[in-house]
């Protein structure tokens, strides 16, 4: 019987100081249960090898958003035939405090340095850990690291966009509630939007009611403080790709729509009203991510167990899904 299972791993993240140099990874994969005694006694279920080799999706978190908030999305992706990884790294944040972070390398974002390396060492550490042979892992020898999608939420989406040019095997990037307009404190001219250097399809998603981005406008000292930084990223940070890039704005969505559950004790959820019950925004965001990841894969990409469950990416955008307020392609 086909199902989704997960395993845990850990990896050292280069450039970080102990004890904040270890990321814990939860790796979700398509599994096929046999009902054996070994499964019953160990809880380990073999990967569905008939669907291998599996492409990989790395999901980078927002600041102080626990990895489990993205479990629903990782499970959705695994059902589509991907292996999805949710890393959790506790490290230094701005101002010297500590919390969950996508591992932002501020020096890599600075003028004269940006573009020379990834703005987070976490992506490389995750890929390196998964590339190592793990004989007791259900996924040993079954990953395809030439088919990788990197995505993230909030700051995780920002570093995914900024680091894309430095990710081997990359096929696409997605970001929710994220942009590349850079904080003035890093030394760039006010309002600077950093370019996305990778030549792969990019999906930008933003919410109609994103209170966190709105509350952060003073960080950027932009000449036009009312300009949407996600829109600016789409128009200024990307080069034309014949319609392969997309920006969508989701009706009723907030900054934490990609999270379930939303942890009200952490991060900045207090900056916006809770999402209305039954809005459908989270399901639509997940549908977009899964369809995008399938669309950017070369031949041999995974298929949904039931193709009717997930429409193709293009069908969501043209004509636009009724939950999308705005759709742009370039």
């Amino acid at each position: 019987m086909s199902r989704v299972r997960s395993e845990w791993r850990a990896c050292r993240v280069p450039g970080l100081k102990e004890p904040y140099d270890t990321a814990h990874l939860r790796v979700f994969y398509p599994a096929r249960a046999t009902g054996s005694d070994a499964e019953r006694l160990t809880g380990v279920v073999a990967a569905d090898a008939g669907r291998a080799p599996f492409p990989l999706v790395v999901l980078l978190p927002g600041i102080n958003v626990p990895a489990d908030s993205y479990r629903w999305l990782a499970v959705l992706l695994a059902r589509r035939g991907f292996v999805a990884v949710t890393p959790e790294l506790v490290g230094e944040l701005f101002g010297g405090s500590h919390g969950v972070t996508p591992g932002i390398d501020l020096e890599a974002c600075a003028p004269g340095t940006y573009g020379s390396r990834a703005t987070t060492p976490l992506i490389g550490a995750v890929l390196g850990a998964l590339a190592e042979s793990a004989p007791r892992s259900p996924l040993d020898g079954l990953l395809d690291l030439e088919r990788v999608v990197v995505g993230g939420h909030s700051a995780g989406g920002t570093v995914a966009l900024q680091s894309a040019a430095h990710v081997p095997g990359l096929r696409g990037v997605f970001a929710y509630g994220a942009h590349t307009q850079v904080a003035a404190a890093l030394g760039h001219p006010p309002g600077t939007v950093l370019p996305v250097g990778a030549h792969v399809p990019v999906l930008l998603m933003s919410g109609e009611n994103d209170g966190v981005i709105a509350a952060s406008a003073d960080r950027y000292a932009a000449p036009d403080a009312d300009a949407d930084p996600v829109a600016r990223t789409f128009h200024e940070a990307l080069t034309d790709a014949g319609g392969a890039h997309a920006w969508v704005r989701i009706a009723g969505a907030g900054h934490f729509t990609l999270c379930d559950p939303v942890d009200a004790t952490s991060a900045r959820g207090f900056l916006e009203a809770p999402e209305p019950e039954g809005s459908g925004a989270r399901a639509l965001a997940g549908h977009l991510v899964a369809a995008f990841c399938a669309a950017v894969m070369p031949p041999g990409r995974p298929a949904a167990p039931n193709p009717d469950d997930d429409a193709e990416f293009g069908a969501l955008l043209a004509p636009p899904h009724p939950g999308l307020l705005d759709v742009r392609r370039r």
Side-chain angles (χ1 to χ4, degrees):
M1 181 174 62
S2 182
R3 61 180 62 181
V4 173
R5 296 290 291 176
S6 64
E7 64 168 356
W8 285 262
R9 301 193 189 189
C11 66
R12 289 291 180 90
V13 183
L16 303 182
K17 297 178 181 179
E18 293 183 348
Y20 300 108
D21 62 344
T22 300
H24 296 92
L25 318 179
R26 192 167 182 188
V27 185
F28 297 80
Y29 62 93
R32 182 162 291 278
T34 65
S36 69
D37 287 343
E39 286 177 355
R40 178 174 57 82
L41 293 172
T42 67
V44 177
V45 179
D48 188 352
R51 302 174 73 182
F54 301 111
L56 179 69
V57 182
V58 180
L59 301 171
L60 299 174
I63 296 293
N64 279 328
V65 181
D68 198 55
S69 296
Y70 310 105
R71 174 163 49 98
W72 72 275
L73 181 55
V75 169
L76 174 64
L77 289 166
R79 286 178 177 150
R80 287 292 304 263
F82 296 92
V83 165
V85 185
T86 56
E88 187 160 274
L89 173 68
V90 174
E92 187 172 350
L93 305 177
F94 310 109
S97 62
H98 291 83
V100 175
T101 172
I104 304 168
D105 179 353
L106 293 179
E107 291 184 2
C109 302
T113 305
Y114 181 75
S116 65
R117 65 178 187 262
T119 62
T120 174
L122 182 56
I123 300 172
V126 170
L127 295 179
L130 293 175
E132 295 178 357
S133 179
R136 295 185 180 182
S137 167
L139 293 169
D140 189 47
L142 298 181
L143 288 175
D144 183 355
L145 296 181
E146 293 301 314
R147 294 191 293 161
V148 176
V149 174
V150 175
H153 165 231
S154 194
T158 293
V159 295
L161 295 167
Q162 294 173 338
S163 302
H166 306 279
V167 179
L170 190 70
R171 302 293 179 171
V173 183
F174 67 88
Y176 183 91
H179 55 84
T180 64
Q181 187 167 308
V182 65
L186 293 178
H188 293 272
T192 295
V193 174
L194 298 176
V196 177
H199 300 292
V200 296
V202 173
L203 169 64
L204 297 178
M205 296 173 287
S206 54
E208 178 185 15
N209 304 316
D210 193 318
V212 173
I213 288 181
S216 302
D218 56 350
R219 289 182 179 175
Y220 310 108
D224 183 359
D226 293 328
D228 180 353
V230 183
R232 290 196 62 203
T233 298
F234 180 74
H235 292 296
E236 301 174 35
L238 301 173
T239 56
D240 287 343
H245 301 320
W247 166 42
V248 300
R249 196 160 63 97
I250 302 176
H255 190 74
F256 293 94
T257 289
L258 210 63
C259 304
D260 184 23
V262 177
D263 184 353
T265 71
S266 187
R268 295 195 289 165
F270 57 85
L271 292 173
E272 58 188 24
E275 188 176 312
E277 290 287 339
S279 74
R282 180 176 296 115
L284 177 54
H287 196 168
L288 284 162
V289 169
F292 172 78
C293 290
V296 301
M297 289 298 165
R301 70 190 188 194
N306 178 1
D308 293 335
D309 288 344
D310 293 280
E312 289 297 324
F313 184 59
L316 287 168
L317 305 187
H321 185 282
L324 297 179
L325 296 176
D326 197 7
V327 174
R328 303 290 176 90
R329 307 289 297 268
R330 63 174 303 188

